[in-house]
Amino acid sequence: MFQSKWTYIGAVIIAVFALAAIFAPWLAPYNPYDMRLAEQLSLPTLEHFMGQDANGVDIFSRLMHGARISLSVGVIVVLISGTIGITMGLVSGYYGGWPDTILMRLVDILMAFPGLLLAIALVSVLGPNILNVVIALTVLGWVSFARLVRGQVLSVKEREYIQAARTSGQSDARIMVVHIFPNILSPVIVQATFSVAGVIIAESSLSFLGLGAPPGTPSWGAMLSEGKQVILEAPHVSIFPGLAIMLVVMAFNFLGDGLRDRFDPKSTIN
Amino acid sequence: MTPTTPEKTDTPTPILVVKDLNVVFRVKHHAVPIIKNISFNLFPKQTLGIVGESGSGKSVTALSVMKLIDTPPLLHMTGQILFQGRDLMTLSNRQMQPLRGKELGFIFQEPMTALNPVLTIKDQLVEMIRNHLKVTRREAVDRAVSLLTEVGMPNPGQRMRNYPHQLSGGMRQRAMIAMALSCNPKVLIADEPTTALDVTIQAQVLELFRTLQEERQMSLLFISHDLRVIAEIADQVMVMRDGKNIESANVDRLFHSPIRAYTRELLGLIRYQ
């Protein structure tokens, strides 16, 4: 009961952020690029209830627009890297042999790098923009899916119903898609949920370092970075984007935990 | 050992001929022969029962006919498996796929584990039908309902929407049989299909096999460790032990005047029970 309450809270927070992101152009009270230099760093007021940043832009409006970047990068990276990782894991686990060996060594190599450092290196080489952030995080992200799926496939492919599907003359591709994949979907969904949280943090970190969205774009990481310069005189400039990142990541983790408990009967014994 | 000779068949050409089948597994770097020179003939509309204790090679023989033994453990497989005159030994996995399920049906022992737990009976039947036959989804669903009716599934329309865990053991085995029959196979291979069922359901399922075989004019390769089940259903019997054919004969001859000591021993076990 307690678990499901937190799952529910997580889902609601995500829904609120998602709606804010989707409808930001209509819901945001101000233009996120509208500079009012005379009002720079002003504290929260009734009109600007999260205050204004160093350029006098309304922080609340910028956060709403920033949610579009954070959430869409999170979801897009997980969709692409999940698709790649699931395909790799299915093929590798199902066929075994040399494709499996090659793929798993590649996974080991990628896992050996500290993730964020590799992302920084990739984005520096490719050039700092959002598309390259997506590419870098995808290159890192598929690995965990491939490993998870491979392990699951190794266990599921030995079940008798897979043998039964083979005796009924179904092709390998069909067996993988129709018979194996639905059986391993639950852990994949849980992994995807946690991955979105991880990607949002990574994107914010890259933007914080100036490797994400171009300067001036409303992005949570970049807003934190801008706030850092004035943290002593105007802490609200960095507090609100920081809170937004924390809330969203926490919400995805709550949801992931809840889904894991729901899908995995072993973890709900107590 | 010589192949079984047909004693009460009207068509002399066997539909399935297995000749000198040898199957060798690799176990920890050693080559271990699992099946040793097995030969048998399966005639149209007849039932060949294969009987033997656990580990005698019955299931490996059945899977060899389907060419579904994984490498590893398989090291090599020699001999001939002629299905309607075509040697399955020479076919690739891809060439075997259209035969599996369509010409050669297969039923497993444990219907709980042989049905996919996350797909409904309908999904599994429709998947199977559409894999082999060019029919629309609607036609496949209709066919699935009539198959379930044919195998005596109560409320087939409603049961179709169930997942395997929602069905009783007997119903699951009926669903498995429906799947195996869905593309009208000429040969049905049943590997201990009644072993996991309790005795009353076992009798019903055996009766179902007899009816279906008669209606559909199929050949049946029926594997069991239980001689009583074999006595009920088989025309010809092959007794296996340690991968070898101990004795093959017509069912009446085998039960009334067994030649080999091992066969007599097996028969003795039934009488004492």
Side-chain angles (χ1 to χ4, degrees):
Chain A
M1 191 60 206
F2 185 74
Q3 288 293 351
S4 69
K5 190 175 78 189
W6 287 107
T7 317
Y8 182 70
I9 293 173
V12 169
I13 296 175
I14 293 167
V16 168
F17 273 93
L19 287 175
I22 295 166
F23 297 108
W26 299 279
L27 290 181
Y30 299 93
N31 182 332
Y33 297 99
D34 185 11
M35 297 187 195
R36 297 181 188 178
L37 291 173
E39 298 167 22
Q40 59 174 257
L41 302 179
S42 58
L43 290 170
T45 58
L46 280 178
E47 287 102 66
H48 303 277
F49 78 96
M50 287 185 184
Q52 282 155 284
D53 69 7
N55 295 320
V57 181
D58 180 51
I59 293 179
F60 181 63
S61 303
R62 268 178 87 78
L63 274 185
M64 282 182 85
H65 282 267
R68 311 188 101 189
I69 294 180
S70 292
L71 291 182
S72 56
V73 168
V75 171
I76 290 170
V77 167
V78 169
L79 281 180
I80 303 174
S81 60
T83 310
I84 298 172
I86 290 165
T87 315
M88 297 282 210
L90 275 172
V91 171
S92 171
Y94 187 78
Y95 288 108
W98 63 263
D100 183 38
T101 312
I102 292 176
L103 199 77
M104 284 304 119
R105 291 300 80 78
L106 184 64
V107 166
D108 288 342
I109 293 169
L110 278 170
M111 298 283 269
F113 281 102
L116 198 59
L117 280 185
L118 187 60
I120 292 171
L122 279 171
V123 176
S124 314
V125 172
L126 296 171
N129 63 48
I130 284 292
L131 177 68
N132 291 338
V133 167
V134 170
I135 293 174
L137 295 180
T138 304
V139 168
L140 291 171
W142 68 272
V143 176
S144 55
F145 284 98
R147 250 163 79 122
L148 170 77
V149 168
R150 173 183 177 267
Q152 296 284 326
V153 171
L154 285 181
S155 122
V156 170
K157 78 167 180 177
E158 299 301 331
R159 307 274 166 88
E160 205 170 39
Y161 54 84
I162 301 302
Q163 178 84 311
R166 291 169 69 206
T167 60
S168 70
Q170 303 193 32
S171 67
D172 291 342
R174 225 174 154 100
I175 290 174
M176 281 187 253
V177 175
V178 177
H179 293 278
I180 297 182
F181 186 60
N183 276 290
I184 61 171
L185 194 57
S186 324
V188 171
I189 291 174
V190 174
Q191 170 74 30
T193 314
F194 287 126
S195 290
V196 173
V199 169
I200 288 176
I201 289 195
E203 185 274 326
S204 302
S205 311
L206 290 171
S207 293
F208 182 83
L209 296 171
L211 292 169
T217 317
S219 144
W220 293 349
M223 287 168 76
L224 261 186
S225 170
E226 289 157 20
K228 184 189 66 180
Q229 331 259 350
V230 291
I231 195 156
L232 290 178
E233 58 226 81
H236 66 276
V237 179
S238 31
I239 285 173
F240 288 113
L243 272 179
I245 295 171
M246 194 195 85
L247 261 180
V248 167
V249 169
M250 203 176 68
F252 273 104
N253 285 335
F254 282 164
L255 186 67
D257 276 336
L259 291 176
R260 191 185 52 206
D261 290 347
R262 200 193 154 115
F263 289 141
D264 181 5
K266 285 187 289 269
S267 65
T268 50
I269 288 167
N270 46 0
Chain B
M1 197 57 60
T2 49
T4 349
T5 37
E7 285 164 44
K8 54 170 191 181
T9 173
D10 32 22
T11 34
T13 350
I15 187 160
L16 181 72
V17 179
V18 171
K19 235 187 208 164
D20 302 323
L21 179 70
N22 279 284
V23 176
V24 180
F25 278 11
R26 181 201 291 273
V27 182
K28 292 182 186 163
H29 304 292
H30 295 290
V32 181
I34 302 291
I35 302 293
K36 300 156 194 161
N37 277 324
I38 290 287
S39 299
F40 62 82
N41 292 340
L42 180 62
F43 292 90
K45 299 180 238 168
Q46 288 226 336
T47 300
L48 171 67
I50 301 183
V51 69
E53 58 196 90
S54 303
S56 59
K58 309 180 299 276
S59 296
V60 174
T61 308
L63 285 173
S64 303
V65 173
M66 302 295 282
K67 289 196 58 190
L68 271 178
I69 300 180
D70 287 326
T71 316
L74 180 68
L75 191 62
H76 55 79
M77 187 159 121
T78 54
Q80 275 186 317
I81 300 168
L82 299 165
F83 172 68
Q84 294 184 310
R86 193 170 169 201
D87 192 356
L88 303 186
M89 280 294 195
T90 60
L91 299 187
S92 68
N93 190 37
R94 196 173 281 262
Q95 289 170 313
M96 274 303 291
Q97 273 170 12
L99 295 179
R100 293 185 193 132
K102 180 140 198 308
E103 307 286 344
L104 304 161
F106 201 100
I107 295 173
F108 284 87
Q109 169 177 348
E110 181 50 78
M112 186 65 226
T113 54
L115 289 167
N116 194 328
V118 301
L119 300 179
T120 60
I121 300 301
K122 177 178 162 185
D123 288 341
Q124 303 194 42
L125 267 165
V126 168
E127 178 66 25
M128 172 87 185
I129 294 167
R130 296 197 69 193
N131 188 33
H132 287 295
L133 308 175
K134 295 264 170 289
V135 293
T136 63
R137 198 179 155 79
R138 186 68 250 161
E139 288 165 339
V141 171
D142 291 344
R143 193 183 172 97
V145 176
S146 68
L147 279 162
L148 288 177
T149 315
E150 190 183 349
V151 297
M153 177 78 89
N155 283 332
Q158 190 202 330
R159 289 296 172 202
M160 291 250 288
R161 290 191 290 273
N162 286 157
Y163 289 92
H165 72 270
Q166 295 170 302
L167 303 180
S168 69
M171 285 196 267
R172 277 183 220 135
Q173 194 55 293
R174 285 176 200 273
M176 277 296 295
I177 296 171
M179 280 177 72
L181 294 177
S182 60
C183 302
N184 301 326
K186 297 192 179 69
V187 173
L188 186 61
I189 302 174
D191 186 2
E192 304 257 13
T194 58
T195 307
L197 306 172
D198 64 46
V199 180
T200 44
I201 308 293
Q202 200 171 25
Q204 290 173 15
V205 170
L206 280 179
E207 186 52 45
L208 175 65
F209 269 110
R210 271 196 294 264
T211 323
L212 290 170
Q213 185 181 22
E214 202 160 298
E215 280 168 8
R216 291 171 166 258
Q217 312 268 302
M218 291 182 300
S219 305
L220 188 56
L221 185 64
F222 196 101
I223 295 173
S224 181
H225 67 279
D226 189 341
L227 268 172
R228 281 168 300 188
V229 172
I230 294 289
E232 295 245 344
I233 197 147
D235 299 302
Q236 303 286 322
V237 185
M238 175 166 85
V239 181
M240 282 185 75
R241 186 190 198 181
D242 295 335
K244 284 182 286 208
N245 180 350
I246 298 291
E247 183 168 3
S248 299
N250 170 292
V251 67
D252 295 326
R253 214 277 282 136
L254 189 100
F255 277 80
H256 291 116
S257 45
I259 295 171
R260 298 294 177 135
Y262 180 67
T263 314
R264 280 200 293 275
E265 216 174 289
L266 282 181
L267 286 169
L269 287 174
I270 315 183
R271 291 185 187 121
Y272 283 117
Q273 272 172 10

